[in-house]
Amino acid sequence: MTVRIRSAEDRRREIQENAARLGIDEAFISDLVENFYTRVRAHPLLGPVFETEIGDHWTPHLATMKDFWSSVAMNTGRYSGKPFPAHIKLTGVTPAHFNIWLALFRLTLEELSDSAETIDYFMERANRIARSFQLGMFELGL
């Protein structure tokens, strides 16, 4: 059996081709982030957490989130930050907040895409991120 070793460039190209096949592009990411955070801001439990931390700085936060999700979904490399330190300092956040976050994220995806495969693609990544944050913040998984 011959084992094919893929280069990072090959892997990036495969991820980007798959994302394109699923209808994921920069416009989709932008719509996802804008619509999702509109829901987050209006939510009675999540909204105050974000408003306390972000205040009047939503424009740069949304730009950062678009870079983040572009990197996560399409392997663009646009985001190179460290999201965990920003989240670990939040007070009053519980594991239940993550469940709400995930539900709103799914709802937004379902509104924007008719493709179950696209929704699953994002939700797999969102669940992995939420589990990682919960493990780090609360020493437990979802």
Side-chain angles (χ1 to χ4, degrees):
M1 173 188 273
T2 304
V3 176
R4 180 177 169 249
I5 298 175
R6 295 179 300 175
S7 69
E9 194 173 297
D10 288 343
R11 180 72 180 132
R12 174 174 281 182
R13 186 176 54 255
E14 288 171 12
I15 291 168
Q16 291 174 345
E17 287 171 359
N18 187 48
R21 181 183 65 78
L22 293 172
I24 300 167
D25 58 15
E26 295 298 343
F28 184 88
I29 298 288
S30 182
D31 288 346
L32 174 62
V33 169
E34 293 283 343
N35 286 291
F36 171 64
Y37 280 101
T38 295
R39 280 192 165 98
V40 165
R41 291 178 81 175
H43 193 275
L45 293 178
L46 292 184
V49 172
F50 280 83
E51 202 58 43
T52 298
E53 188 61 28
I54 296 171
D56 293 332
H57 299 99
W58 277 97
T59 299
H61 180 71
L62 293 175
T64 299
M65 292 299 90
K66 290 173 187 179
D67 289 346
F68 176 81
W69 282 106
S70 176
S71 293
V72 168
M74 298 186 304
N75 199 8
T76 60
R78 285 186 15 207
Y79 179 83
S80 62
K82 296 181 179 180
F84 188 72
H87 291 81
I88 193 73
K89 69 180 181 173
L90 298 175
T91 59
V93 175
T94 69
H97 285 90
F98 285 90
N99 294 333
I100 297 165
W101 185 91
L102 287 166
L104 292 178
F105 197 70
R106 176 175 281 284
L107 183 65
T108 306
L109 284 164
E110 289 171 351
E111 180 182 274
L112 296 175
S113 178
D114 293 332
S115 167
E117 190 177 2
T118 300
I119 294 165
D120 290 346
Y121 182 83
F122 273 97
M123 288 308 299
E124 176 186 338
R125 286 149 183 79
N127 280 307
R128 192 176 323 132
I129 291 163
R131 274 193 303 273
S132 174
F133 276 36
Q134 281 192 330
L135 198 59
M137 293 172 79
F138 313 113
E139 299 185 36
L140 54 94
L142 285 176

